[in-house]
Amino acid sequence: MEPRCWLGDNGWMTIQIGCDSFAAIGPDPVTGVARSGVERISDLLDEITLADEVGLDTFGLGEHHRAEYLDSAPVVLLAAAAARTKNIILTSAVTVLSAADPVRVFQEFATLDLISKGRAEMVVGRGSFIESFPLFGLELKDYDSLFAENLDLLMALRESTTVHWKGKHRAALTGQGVYPRPVQERIPIWLGVGGTPESFARAGMLGLPLMVAIIGGEPHRFRPLVDLYREAGKRAGHKPETLKVGVHALGYVAATDQQAADDFFPGYAEAFTKIGKERGWPPTTRRQFDALLGDTGALAVGGPERVASRVKYYDEVLGGISRFEFQMSVAALPHEKVLRAIRLLGETVRPTVLGI
């Protein structure tokens, strides 16, 4: 099975391979040893630097406002990484746009684009946690309307330095200039989605590239939603090459399939069991985890050959993807294992997927 390609602005391009992190902080699930915030941030920057050195295409940082994460100000972290890297695309994963001021979001990413010399992107979404709403004085009942309105303004800011705009939740803009402007003519904005059909259709209608978070179940079940995205984009008159599909999935690579599974499971189980207590899910078991490692499961965890085949599988069942992002930080892996995995992704998995 060969990876599909998409026709981008500069010609044919192959699947981009990258990493996402939530800058999780907490004790190692096996040893119980915890890193300080200073140490964890230093580790994170080392991870992004190595990802750049081994040829990975992208690195994304999430946004959370919880004690177990250090990514409440992801653009600051991305800017620090920009100063240490040369080629890698630096993106959010995701920017919680429902709870943010689009003007500030644009200014921050435009500044990141200047620091990185044109390597900034953003994935915007509504997020999977709700702490940011009371934190910033917002009403949860406005969850959907805030996102739609803020996305509309953000896209308008991307198109023009001065904007005349009026909405329900924010003061109107009456032609004020919004600065600085980025290096790129239009900073790429991806729409991050989960499993809501309306979100897929909205991305298609707007002609925005789609980043699909698949953290469980079977990836092939997302194909009807991806088809809905492409159909909505086609009806709206957008060219097929603009309707790119990316995947954010839980993944990790080690020397062997067994080693990767044994490394990843303890932290994975702890994280999902904790979230499950908040949302009414049962504790996560090894049996459930092993099922997700199967040929049709969502986890891209294994040795290099296995992981490369998982990327190709996603590409096949979703009708072609443009980007695959590995989310490893959910497993609270030791820093040295994350570095080893990043090196394997860049030096072994990526070349295998791309056939180089």
Side-chain angles (χ1 to χ4, degrees), residues 22-39:
F22 292 164
I25 185 167
D28 183 297
V30 176
T31 67
V33 176
R35 305 282 281 170
S36 70
V38 170
E39 291 171 324

Side-chain angles (χ1 to χ4, degrees), residues 31 43 108 139 174 245 255-256:
T31 67
D43 288 350
E108 289 167 354
E139 296 289 340
T174 57
V245 176
T256 67

Side-chain angles (χ1 to χ4, degrees), residues 18-330:
C19 293
D20 288 338
S21 176
F22 292 164
I25 185 167
D28 183 297
V30 176
T31 67
V33 176
R35 305 282 281 170
S36 70
V38 170
E39 291 171 324
R40 180 66 186 97
I41 293 298
S42 178
D43 288 350
L44 175 64
L45 293 175
D46 286 344
E47 291 160 13
I48 302 174
T49 302
L50 179 62
D52 182 53
E53 291 172 356
V54 300
L56 290 182
D57 299 291
T58 65
F59 204 105
L61 289 179
E63 178 191 339
H64 300 84
H65 302 271
R66 298 165 64 94
E68 61 265 38
Y69 302 111
L70 295 174
D71 59 0
S72 63
V75 182
V76 177
L77 298 173
L78 291 171
R84 298 176 51 163
T85 56
K86 296 179 180 179
N87 300 305
I88 198 165
I89 293 169
L90 300 168
T91 182
S92 54
V94 301
T95 296
V96 184
L97 193 59
S98 299
D101 183 341
V103 172
R104 291 300 287 157
V105 169
F106 181 83
Q107 291 174 324
E108 289 167 354
F109 277 90
T111 304
L112 174 63
D113 206 49
L114 294 171
I115 296 169
S116 66
K117 299 180 176 64
R119 293 184 282 126
E121 294 191 2
M122 65 181 90
V123 180
V124 300
R126 292 179 290 186
S128 59
F129 296 102
I130 61 173
E131 288 83 4
S132 56
F133 284 82
L135 184 63
F136 298 120
L138 302 169
E139 296 289 340
L140 192 57
K141 64 180 176 62
D142 296 326
Y143 184 82
D144 291 315
S145 62
L146 274 166
F147 181 76
E149 183 173 294
N150 288 352
L151 180 59
D152 180 64
L153 177 53
L154 181 64
M155 292 180 65
L157 293 166
R158 183 175 68 163
E159 298 302 318
S160 177
T161 303
T162 58
V163 173
H164 289 80
W165 179 92
K166 185 176 182 180
K168 175 183 176 183
H169 300 289
R170 187 199 184 282
L173 293 179
T174 57
Q176 298 95 324
V178 177
Y179 305 101
R181 304 309 294 181
V183 174
Q184 300 176 85
E185 183 177 352
R186 301 168 83 244
I187 292 179
I189 298 174
W190 296 63
L191 192 61
V193 299
T196 307
E198 292 79 8
S199 296
F200 284 80
R202 172 167 32 207
M205 288 186 290
L206 294 173
L208 295 176
L210 184 77
M211 183 59 66
V212 189
I214 303 179
I215 61 173
E218 297 180 313
H220 73 85
R221 296 182 181 275
F222 284 80
R223 179 61 180 269
L225 294 171
V226 171
D227 288 344
L228 173 64
Y229 161 70
R230 291 179 170 131
E231 291 164 5
K234 182 179 179 180
R235 287 196 303 269
H238 299 294
K239 296 179 180 180
E241 59 265 26
T242 68
L243 302 174
K244 298 182 287 188
V245 176
V247 170
H248 162 102
L250 304 183
Y252 171 67
V253 59
T256 67
D257 293 351
Q258 189 64 53
Q259 184 64 59
D262 291 344
D263 285 350
F264 201 76
F265 174 71
Y268 168 90
E270 183 172 303
F272 276 85
T273 296
K274 182 176 181 178
I275 294 172
K277 289 180 180 179
E278 299 176 9
R279 302 184 181 184
W281 306 341
T284 299
T285 66
R286 182 64 189 245
R287 182 176 180 180
Q288 293 169 332
F289 174 76
D290 288 343
L292 291 173
L293 294 176
D295 289 342
T296 62
L299 296 180
V301 174
E305 184 176 346
R306 173 68 176 173
V307 169
S309 73
R310 300 308 296 154
V311 176
K312 295 178 182 180
Y313 173 75
Y314 269 91
D315 179 65
E316 179 184 40
V317 300
L318 297 180
I321 61 174
S322 300
R323 182 176 294 179
F324 193 98
E325 300 276 357
F326 287 83
Q327 165 53 264
M328 294 186 281
S329 67
V330 69

